[in-house]
Amino acid sequence: GIYLRSWQLQFKIQELKDLVLISNQPDTACESELTGEWVYGAIERFSSCEARQREDFTRSDKELYDQCVATHQFERVKNCQRGREVRILVFNITNPQDVLEGLTPRISEVGRASDGGEFVFYKDCKTFDTEFGATETQFSEYCYYTYKYPSTENADLRQEVVTVNVGLMEAIGNSVDNIDYIVAIVWGTLALDYLNATAAIAEDYIRGQLLSFAWPNNFGAHFLSEFSPAEGMAGFQAKDNAKALYEIVLDASRDHCFVNGTRYDRNQCISMANTLAIFARRYYESFQTYNIPPYGLPYKNG
């Protein structure tokens, strides 16, 4: 009896290892009457098939669900799981103008337009560049989210919400004991592209600082080439260039900077840094929707 139970235990252990571990070696568990049926057959028939396990590993959650539905005419709810559900809670600040004046925010939860329920998304992930080794697997993965209630998606997800930009606050909080120039770097550079800034407009703002009255030719074009993320300009390098400019300006020992390969004196560098801050404010104001008293208009319409 002890030997029999030991054999059964060893068999179960081996069976579990076969399910958990994915080997790159061929096996007989993939055999069936139809050639290649292990690829798209019901998963419970080929759960120990190593080739099927490798194939399913590269499929997205949505592909696995669709395949399960196709192979299970009955009891689909029991056998087929539609990816992982991600539930998102959203909170709205109902008194944004009071918050700007330093008062305590009033918070209310925002739910689905029909019943106030949670926003639920399916998280579907798919692996790619998968390489199966003898003892390990290397892969990359990307995930996307699909709203669970497509019939009410427009009404649910287009509700206006006013909330705190937590990511920006965290970034600003990390600059404690330093003058904060994160907003000017991130939003200032974005605004040059988003607001279609031209060299002439940039020159007007830079000259308007009244810190320097002698400027080299094409300094507006230099400014955009150095700090605009637009195609053909600085691109992804724009934010790094702006950060370098602000670090120079904040260092009292630095008396010049280089913008697009041209040397500028300290006052000119400060004028450009201030101009980035102006564009950051314009970018921020361009998408604000709450009304500003006493005009009754949002920034972007005022």
Side-chain angles (χ1 to χ4, degrees):
I2 296 177
Y3 175 80
L4 177 61
R5 286 193 293 273
S6 175
W7 179 85
Q8 290 176 329
L9 177 61
Q10 291 297 324
F11 178 80
K12 286 297 182 182
I13 291 175
Q14 187 59 41
E15 188 178 54
L16 180 61
K17 287 173 62 178
D18 195 39
L19 290 173
V20 174
L21 303 178
I22 302 178
S23 170
N24 63 348
Q25 302 300 318
D27 60 89
T28 59
C30 305
E31 298 176 356
S32 63
E33 295 180 1
L34 300 177
T35 303
E37 187 181 4
W38 61 267
V39 179
Y40 293 108
I43 182 59
E44 56 267 22
R45 292 184 55 199
F46 301 98
S47 59
S48 298
C49 170
E50 301 289 350
R52 174 60 178 270
Q53 293 179 45
R54 294 196 297 270
E55 187 73 22
D56 284 354
F57 186 80
T58 64
R59 291 169 173 156
S60 71
D61 296 324
K62 179 63 164 58
E63 290 171 335
L64 292 175
Y65 174 77
D66 290 340
Q67 181 177 337
C68 181
V69 169
T71 56
H72 292 79
Q73 184 177 359
F74 306 102
E75 296 186 325
R76 290 176 176 173
V77 175
K78 176 182 177 181
N79 293 295
C80 305
Q81 181 179 358
R82 174 60 179 89
R84 288 160 286 181
E85 289 190 355
V86 177
R87 301 177 182 274
I88 297 179
L89 303 178
V90 179
F91 296 89
N92 185 45
I93 296 177
T94 61
N95 60 331
Q97 189 59 41
D98 293 340
V99 174
L100 291 178
E101 296 174 2
L103 300 180
T104 302
R106 293 194 296 271
I107 306 297
S108 65
E109 184 175 347
V110 178
R112 296 183 60 202
S114 58
D115 58 10
E118 297 176 338
F119 300 107
V120 183
F121 294 81
Y122 292 120
K123 181 180 181 180
D124 295 311
C125 297
K126 183 176 179 64
T127 61
F128 61 96
D129 294 338
T130 305
E131 296 182 5
F132 293 101
T135 59
E136 62 181 17
T137 301
Q138 296 182 348
F139 63 93
S140 300
E141 182 183 55
Y142 73 87
C143 301
Y144 60 94
Y145 297 83
T146 305
Y147 193 52
K148 184 177 181 178
Y149 312 103
S151 61
T152 61
E153 180 174 357
N154 188 64
D156 292 346
L157 304 186
R158 289 187 176 274
Q159 301 179 72
E160 183 173 297
V161 176
V162 178
T163 188
V164 176
N165 190 334
V166 178
L168 180 62
M169 292 183 66
E170 175 68 16
I172 293 174
N174 288 335
S175 65
V176 173
D177 297 328
N178 295 300
I179 294 180
D180 171 43
Y181 50 80
I182 294 173
V183 172
I185 289 175
V186 177
W187 285 354
T189 53
L190 283 175
L192 296 178
D193 182 26
Y194 180 79
L195 300 176
N196 299 315
T198 64
I201 292 174
E203 289 181 1
D204 286 342
Y205 279 117
I206 295 171
R207 276 201 185 98
Q209 304 303 308
L210 301 179
L211 296 177
S212 179
F213 299 97
W215 292 89
N217 294 330
N218 301 319
F219 69 93
H222 293 171
F223 178 81
L224 294 180
S225 296
E226 187 80 1
F227 305 118
S228 173
E231 185 177 355
M233 299 294 183
F236 292 112
Q237 191 66 30
K239 294 183 180 65
D240 290 335
N241 294 343
K243 180 176 181 290
L245 173 68
Y246 270 87
E247 289 177 345
I248 290 173
V249 167
L250 294 173
D251 185 349
S253 66
R254 308 287 290 274
D255 61 359
H256 70 276
C257 65
F258 285 94
V259 175
N260 198 39
T262 301
R263 177 172 172 145
Y264 289 87
D265 65 38
R266 180 170 179 80
N267 284 340
Q268 293 170 336
C269 301
I270 294 174
S271 297
M272 291 187 178
N274 289 342
T275 299
L276 281 173
I278 291 173
F279 272 97
R281 189 191 69 218
R282 289 189 59 200
Y283 178 75
Y284 167 82
E285 293 175 350
S286 71
F287 55 78
Q288 293 306 306
T289 57
Y290 59 84
N291 290 335
I292 303 300
Y295 311 105
L297 294 172
Y299 274 119
K300 64 180 183 180
N301 300 124

